[in-house]
Amino acid sequence: MFIRNLVRTGAAAGLLCCVSALAFAQQGNPAQGRLPDFTDLYEKSSPAVVSIDVTQKARRARGMPELSEDDPFYEFFRRFGQVPPRRGPDREPEAQSVGSGFIIGSNGEVITNAHVVDGADEVTVRLSDKREFKAKVIGADKRTDVALLKIDAKDLPKVTIGDPDKLRVGEWVVAIGKPFGLENTMTAGIVSAKGRDLPQENLVPFIQTDVAINPGNSGGPLFNMRGEVVGINSLIYSRTGGYMGLAFAIPIDVAMNTVAQLKEKGRVTRGRIGVQIQPVSKEEADAFGLGAPRGALVNGVEADGPAAKAGVEIGDIIIKADGKDVHSSNELPRIITMVRPGTKIAVTVWRKGAQKDFTITVAEMKEEGATPAAKGKGPAPKEKAKPNKMGLVLSDLTDDQKKEANVKSGVMVDDVAPTVRGNVQAGDVIIAIVRGGVTTDAKSAAQVNDLLSKVDKGASVTLQMKRGEQQFFATVRALNGE
């Protein structure tokens, strides 16, 4: 699981990690003949790294009043098995936590993780020269996990901001922070991967490293060998609660975009174009005549939304947005959300075997609300037909079913054979069949069965489906036994 609050790991494990890193480094660059020297980097960069202490006042739970044992009501409650809390000293209990951060402005601007200061009643920033300042939280954004703090100080040392796009996998990087409360601790490792997608973190293309990150490192900087900050250490993957060689940092360009908006208006606005998308598989790329799988497949277009007004349709594959290639569906939300609402951007889609360009005016993303559950009701009881070549039992839609599904035409999936592989289930409505770059509307069960009967054994076909309020594309493969 991904965790932010970590626990202590064994000393033996830490020693093993150090030995392994040393062995790797000695044989990883034989031309160099020696390990990289981090001493100058530390001396230059560490003064701009800060420790962050957070205090949260524990709120007393409402309920039974606090009574002293001398109070006559104390005995009353005790006899009925309800022992009231004893009245203690007149002070609120406190919870404390630590984190790291770094100075981006000599006037006292400090960056850390949003989760470090979440719910804080008091934030104290401690500099490397041991000076302490009470910090004001200018703003925080949970989606990118970035917070901007301000302390009342001048002429402070500040970090140099680097370009995470220039990072290469295998490149040395270092972290400086406050693991386990040990201030200005440096750890080193390499970039393990770039653009990493993590569960429920789809707006951040994380930098994965094997740098030792532990409790207290959160919010601290990740430096390249030139002493430039390229990321903010934020997460680790662990089964034990401690460091296991998988650490994740927020790219600094993503963080600085958040910081700029927090400084300007105290909150973060994100762009949207009003489409629902899904990944493009190899089979779906073949079905749409795209060749290699890339881009984001549009399976829903918001009525009167920015994309709809521009002419984007269901079945389009967005391959370029705002001048950037869309290699995978995960990249599109990151590109669009970085665009200021009201900005016009160019979007290129793949449609019917050719590229088509649109200009879309980006709207503002609203706070996400609850998504209504899809009904997915199946057809009325009827005599079942035999499965077709794809293992699907289909039937014509009644007028009531068309009205309920909000479609003009389509075919109901009554049953799915256990051997079928693909995101299809009973109650789905097939809207169209996509094959060889050609999209054919589904008008009747007989028509769809006939089209599917012509699919070669073991070949696949892509279906445009509707399930409740959700539209999507599903690829299924013809049964070999037919």
Side-chain angles (χ1 to χ4, degrees):
M1 61 179 174
F2 290 93
I3 55 177
R4 302 183 191 272
N5 297 318
L6 314 180
V7 296
R8 188 182 302 275
T9 53
L15 178 60
L16 179 61
C17 290
C18 293
V19 173
S20 299
L22 177 62
F24 173 81
Q26 287 176 334
Q27 60 184 340
N29 193 354
Q32 186 177 6
R34 60 184 178 85
L35 287 170
D37 186 351
F38 303 111
T39 54
D40 290 340
L41 192 160
Y42 181 83
E43 290 177 3
K44 175 185 175 182
S45 302
S46 62
V49 181
V50 303
S51 302
I52 297 177
D53 295 306
V54 176
T55 301
Q56 294 173 311
K57 296 179 181 178
R59 273 57 176 177
R60 300 186 189 277
R62 293 184 178 181
M64 191 175 297
E66 293 183 354
L67 302 173
S68 69
E69 294 185 12
D70 296 332
D71 194 300
F73 282 100
Y74 185 92
E75 182 64 19
F76 173 80
F77 283 113
R78 189 190 66 79
R79 289 188 178 186
F80 285 91
Q82 301 292 328
V83 180
R86 298 181 181 180
R87 179 176 294 160
D90 189 17
R91 65 182 183 185
E92 289 186 294
E94 295 180 345
Q96 294 185 332
S97 59
V98 298
S100 303
F102 52 98
I103 303 168
I104 61 168
S106 56
N107 61 343
E109 293 176 340
V110 175
I111 292 183
T112 187
N113 281 148
H115 75 261
V116 170
V117 297
D118 186 30
D121 290 296
E122 186 176 273
V123 179
T124 301
V125 171
R126 183 181 174 92
L127 307 185
S128 60
D129 61 10
K130 308 306 179 184
R131 286 185 293 166
E132 293 186 358
F133 298 88
K134 299 299 179 186
K136 178 182 178 181
V137 179
I138 302 299
D141 179 55
K142 292 184 178 181
R143 293 293 298 274
T144 54
D145 197 20
V146 174
L148 174 64
L149 312 181
K150 182 70 169 64
I151 60 176
D152 187 12
K154 296 180 180 179
D155 301 323
L156 298 176
K158 64 179 182 177
V159 299
T160 301
I161 303 299
D163 185 357
D165 288 339
K166 294 181 180 179
L167 276 179
R168 301 174 63 191
V169 175
E171 180 177 339
W172 282 94
V173 284
V174 300
I176 302 178
K178 189 181 181 180
F180 301 112
L182 302 173
E183 298 179 2
N184 286 82
T185 296
M186 172 184 275
T187 52
I190 62 167
V191 176
S192 304
K194 294 178 60 180
R196 186 67 79 192
D197 300 317
L198 301 183
Q200 300 177 344
E201 304 283 353
N202 65 328
L203 296 187
V204 178
F206 284 94
I207 302 167
Q208 180 184 332
T209 75
D210 67 352
V211 178
I213 301 298
N214 284 294
N217 272 119
S218 287
L222 182 73
F223 291 97
N224 61 20
M225 288 298 292
R226 291 179 294 278
E228 301 166 336
V229 175
V230 291
I232 304 176
N233 298 305
S234 179
L235 297 165
I236 71 167
Y237 178 84
S238 177
R239 292 181 177 177
T240 63
Y243 166 72
M244 293 184 67
L246 293 171
F248 301 91
I250 304 160
I252 194 62
D253 57 343
V254 174
M256 293 306 291
N257 178 276
T258 297
V259 167
Q261 295 194 58
L262 292 175
K263 288 172 65 175
E264 180 183 350
K265 51 185 177 288
R267 67 186 184 94
V268 177
T269 57
R270 297 184 173 86
R272 57 181 291 274
I273 59 174
V275 294
Q276 295 177 342
I277 58 173
Q278 68 180 70
V280 179
S281 67
K282 178 63 171 67
E283 293 80 7
E284 287 157 357
D286 292 340
F288 285 95
L290 185 60
R294 60 192 174 106
L297 176 56
V298 178
N299 59 33
V301 180
E302 176 189 327
D304 296 324
K309 291 177 180 178
V312 176
E313 301 174 355
I314 293 175
D316 288 344
I317 299 177
I318 299 176
I319 56 177
K320 196 168 186 177
D322 195 29
K324 302 176 180 65
D325 291 330
V326 181
H327 300 98
S328 68
S329 61
N330 289 324
E331 292 183 359
L332 183 62
R334 298 170 187 163
I335 295 172
I336 300 301
T337 55
M338 293 282 282
V339 177
R340 183 185 294 268
T343 304
K344 292 184 178 181
I345 63 170
V347 172
T348 302
V349 308
W350 179 264
R351 179 188 294 176
K352 297 180 179 179
Q355 293 187 16
K356 192 172 180 64
D357 296 323
F358 298 95
T359 298
I360 300 178
T361 301
V362 177
E364 183 177 346
M365 180 186 293
K366 304 298 182 183
E367 290 297 323
E368 296 181 355
T371 303
K375 296 179 181 179
K377 291 184 178 180
K382 64 181 79 173
E383 183 178 352
K384 276 188 179 181
K386 292 183 179 180
N388 59 27
K389 192 171 185 177
M390 311 302 291
L392 307 177
V393 178
L394 306 179
S395 66
D396 295 330
L397 289 175
T398 65
D399 290 339
D400 288 341
Q401 288 169 342
K402 290 179 183 178
K403 185 176 180 180
E404 181 180 357
N406 193 25
V407 295
K408 293 180 179 179
S409 65
V411 173
M412 179 67 74
V413 178
D414 289 343
D415 200 7
V416 181
T419 53
V420 172
R421 292 185 178 180
N423 184 22
V424 181
Q425 64 186 40
D428 289 347
V429 175
I430 299 176
I431 299 174
I433 302 94
V434 185
R435 186 165 171 79
V438 178
T439 300
T440 305
D441 292 338
K443 297 179 180 178
S444 69
Q447 172 225 14
V448 174
N449 284 332
D450 180 61
L451 287 171
L452 297 181
S453 69
K454 299 174 183 177
V455 178
D456 295 335
K457 294 178 181 179
S460 60
V461 64
T462 296
L463 306 174
Q464 183 181 345
M465 314 285 294
K466 188 164 188 182
R467 181 180 299 160
E469 299 298 322
Q470 179 188 12
Q471 287 197 38
F472 59 98
F473 291 87
T475 299
V476 293
R477 192 175 297 276
L479 302 180
N480 291 323
E482 290 293 324

